[in-house]
Amino acid sequence: MSKFKRPPVYVTDEELERLSDLAHAVQGREPAADTLIEELTRALIAPVEDVPLDVVRMHDRVSFHYDGALYDDFSLVYPNEANIAARRISVLTQVGAMLIGLRAGDTMTWRGADGRDHELEVLRVMRE
């Protein structure tokens, strides 16, 4: 049994195709593409109206802890919209790929490509 936590993730049927196409288009060139594909593969897919309001979706603002540091009021965005100085995290980063579909209160743990263990906890989700 794995020591890593993988809570359920939820993705809207509207976002699934765009995210999947994006991840497959850059697979092999973007390290987090495989992570995003893995998360989408295990996601519970639902129409937007059936996805709980506290689930992290694209363009939502989210506050979270990552490896002990607080990231307050960041938006999860597509790569062309990313700008860390403006608090916009790409879904094609390791953290972004792990954020998509989590609910407020969820904790995700994993071993990164760097061989280190990482932990991400979603504190709050704010819909745009």
Side-chain angles (χ1 to χ4, degrees), residues 33-109:
D34 288 336
T35 301
L36 182 56
I37 291 166
E38 182 180 332
E39 291 304 295
L40 293 174
T41 300
R42 67 183 202 86
L44 303 167
I45 311 304
V48 66
E49 62 272 10
D50 292 342
V51 174
L53 294 176
D54 64 347
V55 167
V56 179
R57 294 178 39 214
M58 295 305 297
H59 297 110
D60 283 348
R61 293 184 353 259
V62 60
S63 295
F64 59 96
H65 282 124
Y66 173 60
D67 288 350
L70 174 64
Y71 293 80
D72 192 31
D73 200 13
F74 279 74
S75 295
L76 183 63
V77 298
Y78 292 98
N80 63 315
E81 303 166 315
N83 179 334
I84 200 68
R87 296 176 176 252
R88 294 192 307 258
I89 297 174
S90 170
V91 71
L92 272 180
T93 62
Q94 190 68 44
V95 171
M98 289 300 192
L99 277 171
I100 190 74
L102 291 180
R103 295 182 78 168
D106 282 347
T107 299
M108 175 85 79
T109 58

